[in-house]
Amino acid sequence: MKLCMVGAGFSGAVIGRELAEAAHQVVIYDARHHVAGNCYTERDEETHVMTHVYGPHIFHTDDVEVWDYVNRFSTFKPFTNRVKSTVDGRVYSLPVNLHTINQFFSTALRPDEARAFIGAKADDSIKEPASFEEQALKFVGRDLYEAFFKGYTQKQWGCHPAALPASILKRLPVRFNYNDNYFFHRFQGMPEHGYTALVEGILDHPNIEVRLNTPFQRAMTGDYDHVFYSGPLDGYFDYSEGRLGYRTLDFERFIHDGDYQGCAVMNYGDESVPFTRITEHKHFSPWEQHHGSVCYREYSRACGPHDIPYYPIRMLDEKMMLARYMEKAKSTDGVTFVGRLGTYRYLDMDVTIREALDVARGFLCCRESGDTPPAFFTEPM
Ligand code: FAD
Ligand code: UDP
C-alpha cells in the first residue's frame, strides 16, 4: 500500500515507522524545513547549546512500551525537571511542596502540620470544582492560588482562571514533602543528542520517504491508499466551520555569559511581569559544558491565522466547533486524524507516541479484517 503521513512530528514519525516495518511504502510531508514538529531541537549557532526551539520539552512516562520505544532510537540521559517560580521578588520551589509552603509562610512545618495548615486555608465549601479557580481554592487556598496560579494562568490563557476548566490545574500536584520533581512518572529523561536526532532515527527506514518544505493539500488525498493527518483538523477543511482556538507563544532569545538563572525553567507568577517563564537551555544538557548560555523569555497570546498553534483552548465554543469538524472528518474517506493538531487536544509526547502505536496497529488490524479505518482511533471529545 502507498500511505501518506502529514506531519513529521512524533505522530507522523511513529505511525510511519510502524507501517514501514509492516512493508508499506510511506511518504511523509512536512511544511517546515525540519522533522520533529514542535519537539524540534537544534544547536544554537552562537553558544552551541542544544536548544528547544518551540519551548521546553522533558520526556516523562509511566508507559514501559513507550519508554523502551524511544530508547531504541536514542540514549536517554537522566534528567529530573525541577521548576522554580519567582513571585514578588522571591524564588520558590514548584510544584507546591513542603518547601514552597514553608518558604511562603515563613514557617518550619512538618508534613502533617502543613497538611492541616493548608487544609484550614482551603475552601471546603467547594465540593465539585467547576473552574480552575475553584479547583485551586479547594486544594491550596487563596494565598498560594493568588501567588503561584492566578497571574501565571491569566498570562498563559489570556482569561481569568474562573473562566477556565478545572482540568488544567489537575495536571499540577501539591505535595506535603520536599519532593520537587515536577512529574509523577516512573521514567524521565532527555535524549542525549536532542529530539531531532531521536525523530530522525525513527524515520530512518528504507520504506520511508520524507518530503520537507512541502505542505500537504487536501486535493492530494486521492494519490494515496490512506492518509494519516497530524496537521490542524480545521485546516484540513479550509476552516469552513471557523477557526479552533489556540494560544501561541513568542520566544525572546537572549544570550548570557555564564549561568543566567541556575535552572532550566523559571516561572514568573506575577501578572505584572509580561512573560510566563524563562528557559535556560543548557540546563537541559547538564552532561555538556558550555560557558555561554542561551535563554528564551516566553510570552503567550491568542493565536492568529499565521501563528503556530500551541495550546488548544477547548472552551465550550471550541468544543461545539470541534463537534462539527468531527462530523466532517467522519464522513471523509481515506483519512485518519491523529496527534495534537489532528485531534485538537493537549498531548504529552509519551501519550502522542502511545496513540501513534495504537493507530498503526489499529490500521493494520482493519486491513486484515477488511474494515474501513476510522477517522479517529481516539475520540477527541
Ligand atoms: P507536532 O509536533 O505539532 O507535529 C505536527 C507537524 O505537522 C508539524 O511539524 C507541522 O509542521 C506539520 N504540518 C501541519 N500541517 C501540515 C500540512 N498541511 N502539510 C505538511 N505538514 C503539516 N510534551 C511532553 O511530553 N513533555 C513536555 O515537556 C512538553 N512540553 C511542551 C511545551 C510546549 C510549549 C508545548 C506546546 C507542548 C509540549 N509538549 C510536551 C507536547 C509535545 O509538543 C507534543 O506531544 C508533540 O509535539 C505532539 O506531536 P505531533 O506529531 O502530534 O504534533
Ligand atoms: N500553572 C500556574 N503556575 C505555574 C505553572 C503552571 O498557574 O507556575 C498553571 C497554568 O495554567 C498552566 C497549568 O498550570 O497552563 C499547567 O501547568 P504545566 O506546567 O503543566 O504547563 P505546560 O507544561 O503545559 O506549559
Side-chain angles (χ1 to χ4, degrees):
M1 272 189 128
K2 197 174 171 207
L3 302 173
C4 167
M5 309 290 134
V6 181
F10 271 115
S11 297
V14 172
I15 298 172
R17 176 76 188 213
E18 291 298 295
L19 298 178
E21 285 180 1
H24 295 293
Q25 291 302 316
V26 176
V27 178
I28 305 189
Y29 292 87
D30 206 297
R32 297 177 181 176
H33 72 278
H34 59 74
V35 302
N38 272 11
C39 306
Y40 175 66
T41 48
E42 67 178 18
R43 291 228 174 252
D44 179 69
E45 278 189 10
E46 215 174 328
T47 61
H48 305 292
V49 168
M50 188 60 84
T51 304
H52 296 207
V53 174
Y54 300 95
H57 279 74
I58 299 96
F59 201 94
H60 54 96
T61 190
D62 267 338
D63 189 324
V64 178
E65 191 191 0
V66 167
W67 183 241
D68 289 345
Y69 186 86
V70 290
N71 277 274
R72 246 175 83 191
F73 300 103
S74 171
T75 306
F76 270 71
K77 290 284 202 181
F79 182 86
T80 303
N81 198 27
R82 300 187 199 284
V83 179
K84 308 289 173 215
S85 182
T86 297
V87 174
D88 201 15
R90 287 166 181 266
V91 177
Y92 298 93
S93 169
L94 281 187
V96 172
N97 64 69
L98 192 49
H99 202 185
T100 326
I101 295 165
N102 280 327
Q103 283 176 308
F104 188 80
F105 295 103
S106 300
T107 47
L109 301 173
R110 292 184 295 104
D112 290 350
E113 295 167 338
R115 197 181 289 276
F117 179 76
I118 295 298
K121 291 188 171 293
D123 186 342
D124 58 11
S125 70
I126 302 167
K127 300 292 176 223
E128 284 293 321
S131 67
F132 182 107
E133 183 172 67
E134 285 188 359
Q135 178 85 2
L137 292 174
K138 180 176 166 67
F139 284 102
V140 296
R142 186 161 293 280
D143 300 330
L144 293 173
Y145 160 64
E146 289 193 344
F148 296 106
F149 301 112
K150 192 177 172 197
Y152 188 99
T153 296
Q154 177 81 42
K155 291 187 286 186
Q156 170 78 359
W157 295 99
C159 62
H160 195 280
L164 287 167
S167 55
I168 295 177
L169 185 60
K170 281 183 191 146
R171 295 217 291 265
L172 281 178
V174 177
R175 301 207 184 99
F176 295 101
N177 56 35
Y178 289 100
N179 180 1
D180 62 352
N181 184 347
Y182 205 65
F183 301 118
F184 277 108
H185 287 150
R186 239 166 96 198
F187 308 107
Q188 189 172 166
M190 210 41 90
E192 183 173 9
H193 303 293
Y195 291 99
T196 307
L198 165 58
V199 174
E200 282 168 351
I202 298 172
L203 292 168
D204 183 15
H205 189 283
N207 290 350
I208 296 180
E209 181 196 342
V210 180
R211 297 183 187 166
L212 296 178
N213 299 306
T214 315
F216 176 88
Q217 314 290 348
R218 191 173 53 190
M220 293 151 74
T221 306
D223 300 346
Y224 295 92
D225 294 310
H226 198 82
V227 172
F228 296 84
Y229 183 86
S230 74
L233 176 61
D234 50 0
Y236 186 86
F237 297 104
D238 299 326
Y239 309 99
S240 61
E241 305 298 309
R243 282 186 182 266
L244 290 167
Y246 280 94
R247 300 291 288 172
T248 191
L249 302 174
D250 295 319
F251 298 102
E252 189 178 85
R253 174 185 175 277
F254 64 96
I255 292 291
H256 181 82
D257 208 16
D259 192 352
Y260 178 71
Q261 62 185 17
C263 64
V265 180
M266 174 68 75
N267 290 355
Y268 285 81
D270 299 322
E271 209 181 326
S272 56
V273 175
F275 45 88
T276 50
R277 57 186 176 183
I278 296 179
T279 298
E280 184 167 19
H281 296 269
K282 72 177 177 183
H283 293 294
F284 285 132
S285 314
W287 58 92
E288 295 185 0
Q289 301 296 323
H290 299 279
H291 185 72
S293 194
V294 57
C295 303
Y296 281 12
R297 272 187 209 99
E298 187 172 322
Y299 299 81
S300 171
R301 62 177 169 83
C303 185
H306 304 294
D307 297 320
I308 298 172
Y310 281 88
Y311 293 97
I313 298 175
R314 293 182 73 97
M315 304 274 273
L316 198 58
D317 283 357
E318 275 93 8
K319 284 195 172 169
M320 282 158 60
M321 198 186 286
L322 173 61
R324 296 200 294 275
Y325 279 119
M326 282 169 62
E327 284 308 308
K328 289 196 147 212
K330 286 176 182 175
S331 56
T332 302
D333 286 338
V335 187
T336 294
F337 294 84
V338 297
R340 61 176 204 100
L341 298 168
T343 64
Y344 189 58
R345 287 174 303 152
Y346 180 90
L347 299 178
D348 274 326
M349 290 180 278
D350 64 324
V351 181
T352 304
I353 294 169
R354 157 56 49 211
E355 291 195 359
L357 290 170
D358 291 347
V359 166
R361 286 167 193 166
F363 176 79
L364 292 172
C365 282
C366 288
R367 283 262 310 143
E368 241 169 60
S369 59
D371 293 338
T372 306
F376 299 101
F377 277 87
T378 309
E379 285 284 316
M381 283 212 293

